Structure formats: C-alpha cells, structure tokens
Amino acid sequence: MRFVSLTLAAAMLAAPAVAEDVEYTVDGETFTGYFAAADAPKGLVLIVHDWDGMTDYERQRADMLAEMGYDAFALDMFGNDTPTETMDHRIAATGALYQDRDRMRSLIEAGVAQARAQSDAQGMVVAGYCFGGAVTLEMARSDMADMANGFATFHGGLGTPEGQSWDGDEPPIMVFHGGADTSITMEDVAGFATEMEAAGNTYTIEVYSNAPHAFTVFGSDRYQERADTASWEAFKGFLSESVSG
C-alpha cells in the first residue's frame, strides 16, 4: 500500500486564512499559543503539545487542520519563562503539572478560553501528543469535558491519577497508539480500555504495529510514516463525526 507524505500533502493544500502566534496571560504569566484559521470552519480543534512545549510541530499540525477546514488553536501549558531545551527541563516542566492537577486544569481552561476568543466555530475536539495526550484526558475527566465534542490522543499517557475516575458520560475518546511503544505500553492500553468499559464510555483505540513512542513527530528517529498517515486519516474521520459547521 502506498502512503502520501503528510508534509507533502499539506504543502499541496491552500494556506490557512490566518496563522499567527497568540500571547495571553494566566495569573500574571505570559503564554504563547498559535491560531490557524480556516475559511468557513467546520469546527475547532484544540491542540495540546508534547513535553518540549509549544513548537513549530504544533504550528504545522494547526496549519494542516486549517487547510482541512478546521480552525485550530495550539495552547501553551508551560509559559514563556519555562525552559524546555534539555531532558531535565522537560521532566521538570511536565512533572510540576503532573503534581499540580489544579494548575494543569486552570491552564487547560485558559487555553480553551483563548481558542474560543479566536474562533466562532461551534463544535470542538481536543487533541494531544504524548504529554499533551495525558493533558487531553485530564480535561476529559474534568468538569470541562462537556466543552468538547470529543478527545483524541496520539501516543499519549493513558493512566488515571489517584483520586480521579471516569463517570461514563464523557464525550467519545480516540486513542492512537504505537504497538512498539515502550513508554506507554500495551498493558497501559489494556488498563485504559478496562476503565472505559467499566465506566461505559464510548472509545476507540487504534494500534499501529512496530510504531514506537512519538511515531508522529516529523523528522525524528521515531517517526513512522505509515502509522502517522493512518492515524491522521482516522483522526480526520473522528473530526467529521464529532463536529459540524
């Protein structure tokens, strides 16, 4: 089977109507998100970044979504003054939020507010990558869940923190996972599915053979075009089912 490179496919489409960084403040701290607008948007996608912060990767994904007809806003979970250059920096940045779920949720809420301020599109889907996948599920378990029509995670964390649970009435959840992921294992996937079944939630899990952790990251050693292309196509279907213009 032949797959077309996502970067090539994106380049063949029209540029977003608007594509710009958006600065905002939360509790006196400055954050920088990114908004890409579509003409006559069919819906809004909120993107949550990986542990290296809001980068050109999220900007590229937002542009791709705008080219597909969806407004997209990539929020910032760390802020302008948080270093992310080294592994130690990234462990510290993510660890601080894992340990302070109230702050994590307040930053999600601020990102949603910024997304809504930029876009008039009605339906919203939240999508996260790696660390951002864990953040996405944090929103899905929170009282903000009904702000979205659905949630999607790409090679994201799947564990439920102590003291949290699933109610069973959360919007649909889509999980894209690499079968060769050693950071989030197939045992983690099975545990997540068990929780979803027990709660009675609507969920879908797609597993891509031989795909490692972070298989969607363009240009990295872990990038796998087959899994990236297949997951993006499935995500397109999830968006179409979840939101309408």
Side-chain angles (χ1 to χ4, degrees):
M1 182 179 295
R2 296 175 60 87
F3 291 93
V4 177
S5 167
L6 286 178
T7 51
L8 176 61
M12 295 169 63
L13 298 174
V18 175
E20 60 186 9
D21 284 348
V22 177
E23 282 201 351
Y24 58 103
T25 60
V26 182
D27 298 330
E29 296 180 51
T30 303
F31 293 74
T32 301
Y34 179 79
F35 179 63
D39 289 320
K42 296 177 282 189
L44 170 65
V45 181
L46 183 70
I47 301 170
V48 192
H49 60 73
D50 192 2
W51 72 337
D52 56 348
M54 217 295 292
T55 69
D56 285 343
Y57 177 80
E58 288 74 29
R59 292 182 179 93
Q60 182 174 355
R61 290 292 182 183
D63 288 348
M64 291 168 65
L65 287 162
E67 291 155 0
M68 286 162 42
Y70 298 93
D71 284 351
F73 183 76
L75 60 78
D76 181 2
M77 292 295 296
F78 294 158
N80 292 2
D81 295 331
T82 300
T84 58
E85 290 81 8
T86 69
M87 184 174 294
D88 286 344
H89 288 157
R90 297 168 187 177
I91 291 171
T94 55
L97 291 178
Y98 283 136
Q99 295 299 316
D100 189 349
R101 296 284 172 157
D102 288 340
R103 176 169 171 77
M104 181 185 284
R105 292 187 180 197
S106 71
L107 294 176
I108 297 168
E109 187 172 19
V112 171
Q114 286 300 315
R116 287 301 188 192
Q118 303 298 323
S119 174
D120 293 328
Q122 296 302 306
M124 181 176 73
V125 166
V126 182
Y129 292 84
C130 297
F131 161 74
V135 174
T136 296
L137 296 185
E138 182 74 20
M139 180 177 175
R141 288 187 299 267
S142 76
D143 57 7
M144 296 180 284
D146 61 0
M147 294 180 178
N149 297 60
F151 298 89
T153 80
F154 293 82
H155 40 81
L158 300 174
T160 301
E162 184 177 353
Q164 293 190 24
S165 62
W166 296 94
D167 294 334
D169 56 359
E170 290 85 5
I173 296 171
M174 187 90 183
V175 172
F176 303 104
H177 184 76
D181 193 330
T182 57
S183 298
I184 297 118
T185 66
M186 290 301 297
E187 287 75 15
D188 296 325
V189 175
F192 176 79
T194 298
E195 288 186 57
M196 293 295 98
E197 288 292 334
N201 277 340
T202 298
Y203 70 99
T204 302
I205 299 172
E206 294 213 355
V207 178
Y208 304 101
S209 62
N210 303 310
H213 188 65
F215 63 81
T216 67
V217 181
F218 303 126
S220 73
D221 292 341
R222 296 181 174 184
Y223 181 72
Q224 189 192 94
E225 185 173 348
R226 176 183 59 81
D228 181 32
T229 302
S231 62
W232 191 254
E233 288 301 313
F235 183 49
K236 287 181 183 179
F238 184 68
L239 287 174
S240 180
E241 293 172 2
S242 300
V243 299
S244 58

